[in-house]
Amino acid sequence: MKRILMVMSAVAGVLMLSAEMPRSEWHAKVGDCALDPAALKATIAQLSSADKAAFLAEVNAAIEKMPGSDEVKAAKFLAANRAAVAGAGAADRAAVLAEVYATVPPEALTVINEEFAKSEFSRPSTMTDAEYTSIVESTMAKISQRTATAESGAVRAGFAGLMFIRAAGSAADAATAAAVAALPSDVQSDAKGSWFPSALGQNGTPTYDPMLAPAQAGDEPNHALVVNLTQPQTLDSMLADLQAGRNVSSGSYGSTMHIVANGDDGTIAGISRVPRDRIANSTISASALSGDPADSGTYVPNPYYTNGRGSKTGTVVDDEGSGGGGGWRPTPEPGPYWLQRL
């Protein structure tokens, strides 16, 4: 029996390796994937861990060569890199995120850091300050290591730090300290005294100029227009993947935040919307409702809180507008604590 199990394990390993797309095949798909986020997401999921970052780097290089206005290109960068981090898988998500900040032009990172903070890497209300700070420290170390070999690497890592600070909520001070500490020593004072306060509007009108100037970046795109050009999609917060290195689609942070990246329901373009039937958090970041990154540090009652996660017991209710048939409301059932499965 032991020998049979060993053989089965070896066969499974061979099948997994054979399922990975060879470089010659994914290299031919770069152009198409740069134009089609859905194709990109499907393709990157089939690559080996070593190839995922290389593939994204080529996609971003292809987008940079495309014609179009600053806003059109920034929208392409946002859509492509959003698809990349979603399709990367939990184990490779941190490495792919580092590649985002290492290969997207700094002027487009002005949009990406804000949108990622509101959606892909938003902080669930159930995550403690200590847990969040730990994620920032470990992930910023990986990002800074990757961007160290990229042009304007310190500024690029600074944009990643801004993403975490925007999503930090009550852990903003600790996240700022962790982000600054991860940057090269020669820019830490600039980041703490100028880059971050200016970008966050702590000293007046928000501006990225102190970061874009040393990077000799191109023109900053109009953020509202970029988001409006981006196709709407439903997104899960993948923040916990950065620490746990696993799929957290059930019973942990990843299942608690679904956000539409564009206003497909008549709201102002770019403002995040939380579907009523998918939220399990009693409080959420105010930025999820207002669309204003400045509100990321404030947590408010969740108007869509259902107080339930779909247990097998429930009660029959007669909901207005349900077509006369009533409905079934599940009895609340607590999910497992996220560290329980490590």
Side-chain angles (χ1 to χ4, degrees):
M1 177 62 72
K2 184 176 180 180
R3 180 174 296 179
I4 293 175
L5 291 175
M6 291 176 64
V7 171
M8 292 177 63
S9 178
V11 171
V14 170
L15 290 175
M16 289 180 64
L17 289 175
S18 63
E20 293 177 352
M21 186 181 295
R23 178 182 174 83
S24 58
E25 186 174 344
W26 66 251
H27 184 75
K29 294 177 177 287
V30 167
D32 290 338
C33 290
L35 295 171
D36 185 354
L40 191 160
K41 183 177 180 180
T43 299
I44 199 170
Q46 301 176 59
L47 306 185
S48 67
S49 295
D51 282 350
K52 288 177 181 177
F55 169 70
L56 181 57
E58 291 197 21
V59 168
N60 283 332
I63 294 175
E64 190 165 13
K65 295 176 182 177
M66 291 179 182
S69 67
D70 298 330
E71 288 74 22
V72 167
K73 293 182 69 172
K76 291 185 190 310
F77 279 119
L78 175 59
N81 287 271
R82 176 166 268 162
V85 297
D92 299 314
R93 192 151 284 133
V96 170
L97 180 64
E99 199 65 26
V100 171
Y101 284 99
T103 57
V104 172
E107 58 270 23
L109 291 176
T110 62
V111 178
I112 285 178
N113 89 87
E114 295 181 12
E115 293 304 306
F116 276 19
K118 290 189 293 183
S119 51
E120 283 83 359
F121 301 102
S122 59
R123 175 188 171 184
S125 60
T126 52
M127 183 179 287
T128 68
D129 287 0
E131 290 163 353
Y132 184 79
T133 303
S134 176
I135 291 174
V136 176
E137 291 173 345
S138 61
T139 309
M140 279 300 300
K142 295 175 183 178
I143 293 175
S144 293
Q145 182 179 18
R146 171 62 186 92
T147 57
T149 58
E151 186 177 0
S152 305
V155 171
R156 292 173 172 279
F159 277 112
L162 273 174
M163 177 190 74
F164 286 117
I165 296 169
R166 292 184 186 281
S170 58
D173 289 344
T176 300
V180 170
L183 299 177
S185 58
D186 60 332
V187 302
Q188 288 181 0
S189 61
D190 290 336
K192 184 177 181 179
S194 177
W195 292 2
F196 295 164
S198 296
L200 297 170
Q202 295 173 351
N203 298 328
T205 303
T207 176
Y208 288 107
D209 288 348
M211 299 180 71
L212 296 177
Q216 297 183 327
D219 293 334
E220 180 181 350
N222 181 296
H223 291 215
L225 182 54
V226 170
V227 175
N228 191 45
L229 289 169
T230 306
Q231 291 295 318
Q233 56 185 299
T234 301
L235 306 165
D236 293 331
S237 175
M238 296 171 276
L239 182 67
D241 288 6
L242 300 180
Q243 183 181 51
R246 61 182 178 84
N247 192 328
V248 291
S249 61
S250 176
S252 56
Y253 301 133
S255 63
T256 62
M257 184 64 75
H258 296 252
I259 296 179
V260 173
N262 199 5
D264 62 348
D265 60 346
T267 59
I268 299 175
I271 292 183
S272 300
R273 179 172 63 84
V274 186
R276 290 178 180 272
D277 59 343
R278 298 183 181 179
I279 282 297
N281 290 335
S282 59
T283 61
I284 56 175
S285 172
S287 65
L289 300 177
S290 69
D292 186 353
D295 293 337
S296 62
T298 303
Y299 283 80
V300 297
N302 179 9
Y304 310 126
Y305 179 50
T306 60
N307 196 31
R309 295 192 181 187
S311 62
K312 295 182 180 179
T313 61
T315 56
V316 177
V317 295
D318 184 10
D319 291 331
E320 180 179 357
S322 63
W328 183 80
R329 180 172 297 157
T331 300
E333 179 178 306
Y337 183 60
W338 76 286
L339 289 175
Q340 187 173 323
R341 296 182 179 178
L342 294 182

